[in-house]
Amino acid sequence: MKKTVEEIKSYWDQRIAKSKDLWDGVLWEGMPTWNKYIDELQMYYLKKVFNMIRPSDIVLDLGCGVGRFTFRLAHLCKVVYGVDSSKHAIDICIKKAIDGGFSNVKFEVMDVRKLNFEDETFDLVLSVTCLQHITDVHDLTVAIREALRVTKKEGKVILLECTTDKRKDGFVVSLPRNKWFEIIKDAGGKIEDWYGIDVPFLRKIILPLLSSTRKIKVDKLRKLIEMVIIYLFIKPIEYTIPKILKNQSWYTVVIISKQIDESAKK
C-alpha cells in the first residue's frame, strides 16, 4: 500500500534525526559501504550534468537531504539553494555550511510542490531520488511543473529517480519510465536526453549478500567482504552495461528543458 506524501516526509525526517551516519539517514539504512558506492555511482552518471554548470549559474537542489550534492554544487556555481521537507536535514545543512565556511549556499524547509521562488530564478534544478517519493501522480506532476516554473527559459531540470513499476514498496510512486516521460511532458517539460545507471537483476543478487554480512561481528572483515562484493563484481558492470542497455535500468537520469511556445515566438 502506498504511503502518503506526509507519511513519507515524516519517515525521512525521523530517519535523519536518529542517524549518526548522515548518509545512513538519506540512503540505505545500515549499509555504509553500499551507500558509499551509491554516492560514487550517482556522481559518475551525473558528471555530464555537473560539467554543464557555469560559475555564474544559480542552482536549486530539490530534496537536498543533508547536502550531499548541494555542497558539491557550491564549488561550481555562483549560488546554490537547498530545499527539503525535513527540518532536521536543513538544520544539519546550515551547520555544515557554517562549519565549512560556505558563503554561497542557502537552505530552507520547503515543499517541492509549492516552491517559494520567483519564476525563472534558476539556471539548473536538480532532484536526486526526491520526486520519486511523491506517490500521488497529480502531486508529482505539480512538483515537476513547479521545478520547470522556477527554471530559466534556457535552463535545465535534472532528475535522477526510480522510474520503474517493479519496485513495490510503498515509499515510491512506482511508475514505468514511459509514464514518467508523459508526466514530464504534461508538466511542460521537453526531454533532451536520458540514460540509466543501474543493473537491477544484479542488484537482486548482490543486495541480499550485502545484507547477510551484517551477521559478521568483526567490522574490518565485514567491510572487506562488502568492498570485494561491490568493487570487484557490481561496480565494473554498473559503470558500463547501463550505457549499452539503458532500458533495463530502474534508475534514470533525465535532462529536461522547458517546452517552447511556438505561437509566442511568432
Side-chain angles (χ1 to χ4, degrees):
M1 183 176 178
K2 293 295 178 187
K3 303 286 186 182
T4 66
V5 174
E6 295 306 316
E7 288 174 327
I8 293 171
K9 284 164 63 175
S10 176
Y11 166 80
W12 285 112
D13 194 43
Q14 291 175 35
R15 273 272 305 270
I16 292 167
K18 73 177 184 180
S19 297
K20 295 179 180 179
D21 177 340
L22 294 182
W23 284 6
D24 189 67
V26 295
L27 291 172
W28 293 68
E29 194 167 14
M31 299 179 71
T33 309
W34 177 251
N35 286 342
K36 181 177 182 293
Y37 167 69
I38 290 297
D39 181 71
E40 292 172 359
L41 180 74
Q42 291 176 346
M43 280 300 301
Y44 176 76
Y45 280 104
L46 286 171
K47 189 185 303 181
K48 175 180 178 179
V49 173
F50 276 55
N51 288 340
M52 293 164 49
I53 299 171
R54 300 161 299 186
S56 60
D57 282 350
I58 301 173
V59 178
L60 174 62
D61 185 7
L62 292 176
C64 64
V66 295
R68 191 161 57 97
F69 292 99
T70 323
F71 291 105
R72 287 164 169 156
L73 291 164
H75 293 291
L76 303 174
C77 65
K78 182 179 180 180
V79 182
V80 56
Y81 290 77
V83 300
D84 200 283
S85 63
S86 168
K87 185 179 183 303
H88 285 105
I90 294 301
D91 287 345
I92 289 168
C93 286
I94 291 172
K95 184 178 186 304
K96 286 172 71 175
I98 294 170
D99 293 346
F102 286 89
S103 60
N104 66 333
V105 294
K106 302 177 186 297
F107 294 100
E108 189 173 342
V109 176
M110 199 178 296
D111 189 325
V112 296
R113 296 168 296 179
K114 191 175 181 181
L115 296 172
N116 188 27
F117 298 108
E118 297 293 327
D119 295 356
E120 299 183 14
T121 299
F122 300 99
D123 297 283
L124 186 138
V125 175
L126 175 68
S127 168
V128 178
T129 62
C130 167
L131 299 187
Q132 67 187 39
H133 295 299
I134 302 177
T135 52
D136 179 85
V137 172
H138 174 264
D139 283 356
L140 177 59
T141 307
V142 169
I144 295 174
R145 187 176 293 123
E146 275 290 275
L148 287 162
R149 177 185 67 79
V150 301
T151 302
K152 294 178 182 178
K153 289 180 181 178
E154 302 301 322
K156 296 288 186 287
V157 174
I158 312 298
L159 308 183
L160 193 170
E161 307 287 355
C162 182
T163 56
T164 180
D165 56 359
K166 295 178 181 178
R167 182 173 162 181
K168 299 301 183 183
D169 62 271
F171 287 89
V172 293
V173 66
S174 190
L175 293 174
R177 188 180 293 111
N178 65 321
K179 182 61 178 177
W180 272 86
F181 289 175
E182 288 177 14
I183 291 171
I184 291 167
K185 183 178 179 181
D186 290 344
K190 176 184 177 183
I191 296 169
E192 299 284 346
D193 194 12
W194 69 272
Y195 43 93
I197 73 166
D198 62 303
V199 181
F201 80 86
L202 185 59
R203 290 191 177 194
K204 288 180 180 179
I205 299 170
I206 294 296
L207 285 170
L209 286 175
L210 291 174
S211 295
S212 69
T213 64
R214 296 180 186 182
K215 299 175 183 177
I216 300 173
K217 303 302 181 183
V218 181
D219 288 346
K220 288 185 178 180
L221 177 60
R222 182 178 66 251
K223 186 174 181 180
L224 176 61
I225 293 172
E226 289 172 348
M227 291 184 72
V228 168
I229 292 171
I230 292 169
Y231 290 96
L232 289 186
F233 292 99
I234 193 167
K235 179 178 178 178
I237 295 173
E238 289 202 322
Y239 273 54
T240 53
I241 294 300
K243 296 177 183 178
I244 305 167
L245 303 172
K246 65 179 185 178
N247 280 310
Q248 302 303 312
S249 294
W250 282 17
Y251 288 84
T252 308
V253 175
V254 190
I255 301 174
I256 307 165
S257 62
K258 286 188 169 186
Q259 292 176 11
I260 299 173
D261 185 351
E262 296 295 338
S263 62
K265 293 172 63 179
K266 295 179 180 179

Short mmCIF file of all heavy atoms in Angstrom, two decimals, residues 170-225:
data_model
loop_
_atom_site.label_atom_id
_atom_site.label_comp_id
_atom_site.label_asym_id
_atom_site.label_seq_id
_atom_site.Cartn_x
_atom_site.Cartn_y
_atom_site.Cartn_z
N GLY A 170 5.98 0.87 -0.53
CA GLY A 170 5.06 2.00 -0.52
C GLY A 170 5.70 3.36 -0.51
O GLY A 170 4.99 4.38 -0.40
N PHE A 171 7.03 3.42 -0.64
CA PHE A 171 7.73 4.70 -0.49
C PHE A 171 8.06 5.40 -1.81
O PHE A 171 8.61 6.48 -1.80
CB PHE A 171 9.02 4.49 0.32
CG PHE A 171 8.76 4.24 1.77
CD1 PHE A 171 8.56 2.96 2.25
CD2 PHE A 171 8.67 5.31 2.67
CE1 PHE A 171 8.32 2.73 3.60
CE2 PHE A 171 8.42 5.09 4.01
CZ PHE A 171 8.23 3.80 4.48
N VAL A 172 7.74 4.76 -2.93
CA VAL A 172 7.98 5.40 -4.23
C VAL A 172 6.71 5.33 -5.06
O VAL A 172 5.83 4.50 -4.83
CB VAL A 172 9.14 4.74 -5.00
CG1 VAL A 172 10.46 4.96 -4.30
CG2 VAL A 172 8.88 3.26 -5.23
N VAL A 173 6.64 6.20 -6.06
CA VAL A 173 5.43 6.29 -6.88
C VAL A 173 5.24 5.06 -7.75
O VAL A 173 4.12 4.75 -8.15
CB VAL A 173 5.47 7.58 -7.73
CG1 VAL A 173 6.57 7.54 -8.76
CG2 VAL A 173 4.11 7.87 -8.37
N SER A 174 6.32 4.35 -8.06
CA SER A 174 6.25 3.08 -8.80
C SER A 174 5.56 3.24 -10.16
O SER A 174 4.51 2.65 -10.42
CB SER A 174 5.53 2.01 -7.96
OG SER A 174 5.66 0.73 -8.55
N LEU A 175 6.21 4.02 -11.03
CA LEU A 175 5.71 4.23 -12.39
C LEU A 175 6.78 3.84 -13.39
O LEU A 175 7.97 4.09 -13.16
CB LEU A 175 5.34 5.69 -12.60
CG LEU A 175 4.17 6.26 -11.81
CD1 LEU A 175 4.06 7.76 -12.05
CD2 LEU A 175 2.87 5.56 -12.19
N PRO A 176 6.39 3.25 -14.52
CA PRO A 176 7.38 2.93 -15.56
C PRO A 176 7.93 4.19 -16.19
O PRO A 176 7.32 5.27 -16.12
CB PRO A 176 6.58 2.10 -16.58
CG PRO A 176 5.16 2.55 -16.39
CD PRO A 176 5.02 2.85 -14.92
N ARG A 177 9.07 4.07 -16.83
CA ARG A 177 9.76 5.23 -17.39
C ARG A 177 8.89 6.01 -18.37
O ARG A 177 8.87 7.24 -18.38
CB ARG A 177 11.06 4.77 -18.06
CG ARG A 177 11.95 5.92 -18.49
CD ARG A 177 13.22 5.41 -19.15
NE ARG A 177 14.06 4.71 -18.19
CZ ARG A 177 14.29 3.40 -18.20
NH1 ARG A 177 13.72 2.64 -19.12
NH2 ARG A 177 15.06 2.83 -17.29
N ASN A 178 8.14 5.29 -19.23
CA ASN A 178 7.33 5.99 -20.22
C ASN A 178 6.24 6.83 -19.57
O ASN A 178 5.86 7.89 -20.09
CB ASN A 178 6.72 5.00 -21.22
CG ASN A 178 5.73 4.04 -20.58
OD1 ASN A 178 5.93 3.58 -19.47
ND2 ASN A 178 4.66 3.73 -21.29
N LYS A 179 5.75 6.39 -18.40
CA LYS A 179 4.75 7.18 -17.68
C LYS A 179 5.40 8.44 -17.08
O LYS A 179 4.80 9.52 -17.09
CB LYS A 179 4.11 6.34 -16.57
CG LYS A 179 3.01 7.08 -15.80
CD LYS A 179 1.85 7.49 -16.69
CE LYS A 179 0.76 8.19 -15.88
NZ LYS A 179 -0.35 8.66 -16.75
N TRP A 180 6.61 8.31 -16.56
CA TRP A 180 7.36 9.49 -16.09
C TRP A 180 7.51 10.49 -17.23
O TRP A 180 7.31 11.69 -17.05
CB TRP A 180 8.73 9.06 -15.58
CG TRP A 180 8.79 8.68 -14.15
CD1 TRP A 180 8.54 7.44 -13.62
CD2 TRP A 180 9.13 9.52 -13.04
NE1 TRP A 180 8.70 7.46 -12.26
CE2 TRP A 180 9.07 8.71 -11.87
CE3 TRP A 180 9.48 10.85 -12.91
CZ2 TRP A 180 9.33 9.22 -10.60
CZ3 TRP A 180 9.77 11.36 -11.64
CH2 TRP A 180 9.69 10.56 -10.51
N PHE A 181 7.85 9.99 -18.40
CA PHE A 181 8.04 10.88 -19.55
C PHE A 181 6.74 11.60 -19.92
O PHE A 181 6.75 12.77 -20.29
CB PHE A 181 8.57 10.09 -20.75
CG PHE A 181 10.00 9.63 -20.59
CD1 PHE A 181 10.60 8.82 -21.55
CD2 PHE A 181 10.77 10.01 -19.49
CE1 PHE A 181 11.92 8.41 -21.42
CE2 PHE A 181 12.09 9.60 -19.35
CZ PHE A 181 12.66 8.79 -20.32
N GLU A 182 5.63 10.89 -19.82
CA GLU A 182 4.32 11.52 -20.08
C GLU A 182 4.04 12.63 -19.07
O GLU A 182 3.57 13.71 -19.43
CB GLU A 182 3.21 10.48 -20.01
CG GLU A 182 3.18 9.51 -21.18
CD GLU A 182 2.10 8.46 -21.01
OE1 GLU A 182 1.21 8.64 -20.13
OE2 GLU A 182 2.13 7.44 -21.73
N ILE A 183 4.34 12.36 -17.81
CA ILE A 183 4.12 13.35 -16.76
C ILE A 183 4.99 14.58 -16.98
O ILE A 183 4.54 15.71 -16.82
CB ILE A 183 4.38 12.72 -15.37
CG1 ILE A 183 3.31 11.68 -15.05
CG2 ILE A 183 4.43 13.79 -14.27
CD1 ILE A 183 3.59 10.85 -13.81
N ILE A 184 6.24 14.34 -17.34
CA ILE A 184 7.15 15.46 -17.61
C ILE A 184 6.61 16.32 -18.75
O ILE A 184 6.60 17.56 -18.67
CB ILE A 184 8.56 14.93 -17.95
CG1 ILE A 184 9.21 14.32 -16.70
CG2 ILE A 184 9.45 16.03 -18.53
CD1 ILE A 184 10.45 13.50 -16.96
N LYS A 185 6.12 15.68 -19.80
CA LYS A 185 5.55 16.42 -20.93
C LYS A 185 4.31 17.19 -20.50
O LYS A 185 4.13 18.36 -20.85
CB LYS A 185 5.21 15.46 -22.06
CG LYS A 185 4.69 16.15 -23.31
CD LYS A 185 4.43 15.15 -24.43
CE LYS A 185 3.87 15.86 -25.66
NZ LYS A 185 3.58 14.88 -26.76
N ASP A 186 3.43 16.53 -19.73
CA ASP A 186 2.20 17.18 -19.25
C ASP A 186 2.51 18.38 -18.37
O ASP A 186 1.75 19.35 -18.32
CB ASP A 186 1.33 16.19 -18.48
CG ASP A 186 0.70 15.12 -19.37
OD1 ASP A 186 0.69 15.33 -20.61
OD2 ASP A 186 0.26 14.09 -18.85
N ALA A 187 3.65 18.31 -17.67
CA ALA A 187 4.04 19.40 -16.76
C ALA A 187 4.70 20.56 -17.50
O ALA A 187 5.00 21.59 -16.89
CB ALA A 187 4.98 18.87 -15.69
N GLY A 188 4.93 20.39 -18.80
CA GLY A 188 5.54 21.47 -19.59
C GLY A 188 7.01 21.27 -19.89
O GLY A 188 7.69 22.22 -20.29
N GLY A 189 7.48 20.04 -19.73
CA GLY A 189 8.89 19.77 -19.97
C GLY A 189 9.15 19.07 -21.30
O GLY A 189 8.27 18.40 -21.85
N LYS A 190 10.36 19.21 -21.80
CA LYS A 190 10.81 18.53 -23.01
C LYS A 190 12.06 17.74 -22.65
O LYS A 190 13.02 18.29 -22.12
CB LYS A 190 11.14 19.55 -24.10
CG LYS A 190 11.70 18.92 -25.37
CD LYS A 190 12.10 19.98 -26.37
CE LYS A 190 12.73 19.36 -27.61
NZ LYS A 190 13.19 20.39 -28.57
N ILE A 191 12.04 16.45 -22.92
CA ILE A 191 13.17 15.59 -22.57
C ILE A 191 14.28 15.74 -23.60
O ILE A 191 14.10 15.42 -24.78
CB ILE A 191 12.72 14.12 -22.44
CG1 ILE A 191 11.71 13.99 -21.29
CG2 ILE A 191 13.92 13.20 -22.21
CD1 ILE A 191 11.01 12.68 -21.23
N GLU A 192 15.41 16.23 -23.13
CA GLU A 192 16.57 16.44 -24.00
C GLU A 192 17.41 15.17 -24.13
O GLU A 192 17.96 14.87 -25.19
CB GLU A 192 17.43 17.58 -23.46
CG GLU A 192 16.74 18.93 -23.38
CD GLU A 192 16.61 19.60 -24.73
OE1 GLU A 192 17.27 19.15 -25.67
OE2 GLU A 192 15.83 20.57 -24.82
N ASP A 193 17.51 14.44 -23.02
CA ASP A 193 18.32 13.22 -23.01
C ASP A 193 17.96 12.42 -21.77
O ASP A 193 17.41 12.96 -20.80
CB ASP A 193 19.82 13.58 -22.99
CG ASP A 193 20.71 12.39 -23.30
OD1 ASP A 193 20.19 11.35 -23.76
OD2 ASP A 193 21.94 12.49 -23.08
N TRP A 194 18.24 11.13 -21.79
CA TRP A 194 18.06 10.30 -20.60
C TRP A 194 18.97 9.08 -20.70
O TRP A 194 19.35 8.66 -21.79
CB TRP A 194 16.60 9.88 -20.42
CG TRP A 194 16.09 8.90 -21.46
CD1 TRP A 194 15.53 9.20 -22.66
CD2 TRP A 194 16.11 7.47 -21.37
NE1 TRP A 194 15.20 8.07 -23.33
CE2 TRP A 194 15.53 6.98 -22.56
CE3 TRP A 194 16.55 6.56 -20.40
CZ2 TRP A 194 15.39 5.62 -22.81
CZ3 TRP A 194 16.40 5.20 -20.64
CH2 TRP A 194 15.83 4.74 -21.84
N TYR A 195 19.33 8.54 -19.53
CA TYR A 195 20.14 7.33 -19.51
C TYR A 195 19.99 6.63 -18.16
O TYR A 195 19.74 7.25 -17.14
CB TYR A 195 21.62 7.63 -19.80
CG TYR A 195 22.19 8.83 -19.09
CD1 TYR A 195 22.82 8.72 -17.87
CD2 TYR A 195 22.10 10.10 -19.68
CE1 TYR A 195 23.36 9.82 -17.24
CE2 TYR A 195 22.64 11.21 -19.06
CZ TYR A 195 23.26 11.07 -17.83
OH TYR A 195 23.78 12.18 -17.20
N GLY A 196 20.12 5.31 -18.19
CA GLY A 196 20.03 4.51 -16.97
C GLY A 196 21.35 4.46 -16.23
O GLY A 196 22.40 4.80 -16.80
N ILE A 197 21.30 4.01 -14.97
CA ILE A 197 22.54 3.98 -14.20
C ILE A 197 22.75 2.66 -13.44
O ILE A 197 23.79 2.51 -12.79
CB ILE A 197 22.60 5.14 -13.18
CG1 ILE A 197 21.64 4.91 -12.01
CG2 ILE A 197 22.32 6.48 -13.85
CD1 ILE A 197 21.88 5.83 -10.83
N ASP A 198 21.81 1.72 -13.50
CA ASP A 198 21.94 0.52 -12.66
C ASP A 198 21.61 -0.74 -13.45
O ASP A 198 21.07 -0.69 -14.56
CB ASP A 198 21.03 0.63 -11.44
CG ASP A 198 19.56 0.70 -11.84
OD1 ASP A 198 19.20 1.63 -12.61
OD2 ASP A 198 18.76 -0.15 -11.41
N VAL A 199 21.93 -1.90 -12.83
CA VAL A 199 21.64 -3.21 -13.41
C VAL A 199 20.79 -3.97 -12.39
O VAL A 199 21.32 -4.61 -11.48
CB VAL A 199 22.93 -3.98 -13.75
CG1 VAL A 199 22.60 -5.33 -14.38
CG2 VAL A 199 23.82 -3.15 -14.69
N PRO A 200 19.46 -3.90 -12.52
CA PRO A 200 18.56 -4.43 -11.48
C PRO A 200 18.73 -5.91 -11.17
O PRO A 200 18.72 -6.30 -9.99
CB PRO A 200 17.17 -4.16 -12.07
CG PRO A 200 17.37 -3.03 -13.00
CD PRO A 200 18.73 -3.22 -13.58
N PHE A 201 18.89 -6.76 -12.19
CA PHE A 201 18.98 -8.20 -11.92
C PHE A 201 20.19 -8.52 -11.08
O PHE A 201 20.17 -9.43 -10.24
CB PHE A 201 18.98 -9.01 -13.23
CG PHE A 201 20.31 -9.08 -13.92
CD1 PHE A 201 21.24 -10.05 -13.58
CD2 PHE A 201 20.63 -8.17 -14.92
CE1 PHE A 201 22.47 -10.11 -14.22
CE2 PHE A 201 21.85 -8.23 -15.56
CZ PHE A 201 22.77 -9.19 -15.22
N LEU A 202 21.27 -7.76 -11.27
CA LEU A 202 22.49 -7.99 -10.49
C LEU A 202 22.28 -7.53 -9.04
O LEU A 202 22.75 -8.20 -8.10
CB LEU A 202 23.66 -7.24 -11.13
CG LEU A 202 25.03 -7.47 -10.50
CD1 LEU A 202 25.41 -8.94 -10.56
CD2 LEU A 202 26.08 -6.62 -11.22
N ARG A 203 21.58 -6.43 -8.87
CA ARG A 203 21.32 -5.94 -7.51
C ARG A 203 20.46 -6.93 -6.70
O ARG A 203 20.59 -7.02 -5.49
CB ARG A 203 20.64 -4.57 -7.55
CG ARG A 203 21.57 -3.47 -8.04
CD ARG A 203 20.99 -2.10 -7.83
NE ARG A 203 21.93 -1.07 -8.25
CZ ARG A 203 21.81 0.22 -7.93
NH1 ARG A 203 20.79 0.63 -7.20
NH2 ARG A 203 22.70 1.09 -8.35
N LYS A 204 19.59 -7.64 -7.39
CA LYS A 204 18.76 -8.63 -6.70
C LYS A 204 19.61 -9.76 -6.11
O LYS A 204 19.21 -10.41 -5.14
CB LYS A 204 17.73 -9.22 -7.68
CG LYS A 204 16.62 -8.26 -8.04
CD LYS A 204 15.63 -8.90 -9.00
CE LYS A 204 14.51 -7.93 -9.36
NZ LYS A 204 13.53 -8.53 -10.31
N ILE A 205 20.77 -9.96 -6.69
CA ILE A 205 21.71 -10.97 -6.18
C ILE A 205 22.62 -10.36 -5.12
O ILE A 205 22.85 -10.95 -4.05
CB ILE A 205 22.56 -11.54 -7.33
CG1 ILE A 205 21.67 -12.21 -8.38
CG2 ILE A 205 23.61 -12.51 -6.79
CD1 ILE A 205 22.39 -12.58 -9.65
N ILE A 206 23.13 -9.17 -5.41
CA ILE A 206 24.15 -8.55 -4.57
C ILE A 206 23.60 -8.04 -3.23
O ILE A 206 24.21 -8.23 -2.17
CB ILE A 206 24.82 -7.38 -5.32
CG1 ILE A 206 25.61 -7.90 -6.53
CG2 ILE A 206 25.73 -6.56 -4.40
CD1 ILE A 206 26.76 -8.80 -6.19
N LEU A 207 22.44 -7.40 -3.26
CA LEU A 207 21.92 -6.78 -2.03
C LEU A 207 21.64 -7.78 -0.91
O LEU A 207 21.97 -7.51 0.25
CB LEU A 207 20.68 -5.95 -2.35
CG LEU A 207 20.99 -4.61 -3.04
CD1 LEU A 207 19.71 -3.94 -3.55
CD2 LEU A 207 21.73 -3.68 -2.10
N PRO A 208 21.06 -8.95 -1.19
CA PRO A 208 20.92 -9.95 -0.11
C PRO A 208 22.27 -10.40 0.44
O PRO A 208 22.40 -10.65 1.65
CB PRO A 208 20.18 -11.11 -0.80
CG PRO A 208 19.43 -10.47 -1.91
CD PRO A 208 20.34 -9.38 -2.41
N LEU A 209 23.28 -10.49 -0.42
CA LEU A 209 24.62 -10.86 0.05
C LEU A 209 25.17 -9.80 0.99
O LEU A 209 25.74 -10.12 2.04
CB LEU A 209 25.56 -11.02 -1.15
CG LEU A 209 25.41 -12.28 -2.00
CD1 LEU A 209 26.35 -12.21 -3.20
CD2 LEU A 209 25.67 -13.53 -1.18
N LEU A 210 24.98 -8.53 0.62
CA LEU A 210 25.45 -7.45 1.47
C LEU A 210 24.70 -7.42 2.80
O LEU A 210 25.29 -7.16 3.85
CB LEU A 210 25.30 -6.11 0.75
CG LEU A 210 26.23 -5.88 -0.44
CD1 LEU A 210 25.87 -4.59 -1.16
CD2 LEU A 210 27.69 -5.84 0.01
N SER A 211 23.41 -7.67 2.75
CA SER A 211 22.62 -7.69 3.99
C SER A 211 23.09 -8.81 4.93
O SER A 211 23.10 -8.64 6.15
CB SER A 211 21.13 -7.88 3.67
OG SER A 211 20.63 -6.77 2.96
N SER A 212 23.49 -9.92 4.34
CA SER A 212 23.93 -11.06 5.16
C SER A 212 25.23 -10.78 5.88
O SER A 212 25.54 -11.40 6.90
CB SER A 212 24.06 -12.32 4.29
OG SER A 212 25.15 -12.18 3.39
N THR A 213 26.02 -9.82 5.38
CA THR A 213 27.30 -9.51 6.03
C THR A 213 27.11 -8.84 7.40
O THR A 213 28.05 -8.75 8.18
CB THR A 213 28.18 -8.60 5.15
OG1 THR A 213 27.53 -7.33 4.96
CG2 THR A 213 28.44 -9.24 3.79
N ARG A 214 25.91 -8.37 7.67
CA ARG A 214 25.64 -7.73 8.97
C ARG A 214 25.85 -8.71 10.13
O ARG A 214 26.07 -8.31 11.27
CB ARG A 214 24.21 -7.19 9.02
CG ARG A 214 23.93 -6.08 8.02
CD ARG A 214 22.50 -5.60 8.14
NE ARG A 214 22.15 -4.63 7.10
CZ ARG A 214 20.98 -4.03 7.00
NH1 ARG A 214 20.03 -4.28 7.88
NH2 ARG A 214 20.75 -3.16 6.03
N LYS A 215 25.79 -10.01 9.82
CA LYS A 215 25.97 -11.03 10.86
C LYS A 215 27.44 -11.16 11.28
O LYS A 215 27.74 -11.74 12.32
CB LYS A 215 25.46 -12.38 10.35
CG LYS A 215 23.98 -12.38 9.99
CD LYS A 215 23.57 -13.72 9.37
CE LYS A 215 22.11 -13.71 8.93
NZ LYS A 215 21.75 -14.99 8.26
N ILE A 216 28.33 -10.65 10.44
CA ILE A 216 29.77 -10.74 10.74
C ILE A 216 30.11 -9.69 11.81
O ILE A 216 29.89 -8.49 11.61
CB ILE A 216 30.61 -10.51 9.47
CG1 ILE A 216 30.26 -11.56 8.42
CG2 ILE A 216 32.10 -10.54 9.80
CD1 ILE A 216 30.90 -11.32 7.07
N LYS A 217 30.62 -10.12 12.92
CA LYS A 217 30.86 -9.23 14.06
C LYS A 217 32.15 -8.42 13.95
O LYS A 217 32.27 -7.36 14.56
CB LYS A 217 30.88 -10.05 15.36
CG LYS A 217 29.61 -10.87 15.61
CD LYS A 217 28.37 -9.96 15.66
CE LYS A 217 27.11 -10.77 15.94
NZ LYS A 217 25.90 -9.91 15.92
N VAL A 218 33.10 -8.90 13.18
CA VAL A 218 34.38 -8.20 13.04
C VAL A 218 34.23 -7.12 11.96
O VAL A 218 34.05 -7.44 10.78
CB VAL A 218 35.52 -9.17 12.68
CG1 VAL A 218 36.84 -8.42 12.56
CG2 VAL A 218 35.61 -10.30 13.71
N ASP A 219 34.28 -5.87 12.38
CA ASP A 219 34.00 -4.76 11.47
C ASP A 219 34.90 -4.75 10.24
O ASP A 219 34.44 -4.56 9.12
CB ASP A 219 34.12 -3.42 12.21
CG ASP A 219 32.98 -3.19 13.19
OD1 ASP A 219 31.97 -3.93 13.08
OD2 ASP A 219 33.10 -2.30 14.04
N LYS A 220 36.20 -4.92 10.45
CA LYS A 220 37.15 -4.85 9.34
C LYS A 220 36.91 -5.96 8.33
O LYS A 220 37.00 -5.75 7.11
CB LYS A 220 38.58 -4.89 9.87
CG LYS A 220 39.02 -3.62 10.58
CD LYS A 220 40.47 -3.68 10.98
CE LYS A 220 40.92 -2.38 11.66
NZ LYS A 220 42.34 -2.43 12.06
N LEU A 221 36.60 -7.15 8.83
CA LEU A 221 36.33 -8.28 7.95
C LEU A 221 35.04 -8.05 7.16
O LEU A 221 34.99 -8.30 5.95
CB LEU A 221 36.24 -9.58 8.76
CG LEU A 221 35.88 -10.84 7.95
CD1 LEU A 221 36.93 -11.10 6.88
CD2 LEU A 221 35.73 -12.04 8.89
N ARG A 222 34.01 -7.57 7.85
CA ARG A 222 32.73 -7.30 7.19
C ARG A 222 32.90 -6.27 6.08
O ARG A 222 32.43 -6.45 4.96
CB ARG A 222 31.69 -6.81 8.20
CG ARG A 222 30.32 -6.55 7.55
CD ARG A 222 29.28 -6.11 8.57
NE ARG A 222 29.60 -4.81 9.13
CZ ARG A 222 30.00 -4.60 10.38
NH1 ARG A 222 30.15 -5.62 11.21
NH2 ARG A 222 30.27 -3.38 10.81
N LYS A 223 33.62 -5.20 6.38
CA LYS A 223 33.82 -4.14 5.40
C LYS A 223 34.63 -4.66 4.21
O LYS A 223 34.35 -4.31 3.05
CB LYS A 223 34.53 -2.95 6.03
CG LYS A 223 34.64 -1.75 5.11
CD LYS A 223 35.21 -0.54 5.84
CE LYS A 223 35.29 0.66 4.90
NZ LYS A 223 35.84 1.86 5.59
N LEU A 224 35.64 -5.49 4.47
CA LEU A 224 36.46 -6.05 3.39
C LEU A 224 35.61 -6.89 2.45
O LEU A 224 35.71 -6.77 1.22
CB LEU A 224 37.59 -6.89 3.97
CG LEU A 224 38.49 -7.61 2.94
CD1 LEU A 224 39.18 -6.60 2.04
CD2 LEU A 224 39.49 -8.50 3.66
N ILE A 225 34.77 -7.75 3.02
CA ILE A 225 33.90 -8.61 2.20
C ILE A 225 32.93 -7.76 1.38
O ILE A 225 32.71 -8.01 0.19
CB ILE A 225 33.13 -9.61 3.09
CG1 ILE A 225 34.11 -10.61 3.72
CG2 ILE A 225 32.06 -10.35 2.27
CD1 ILE A 225 33.50 -11.50 4.77
#
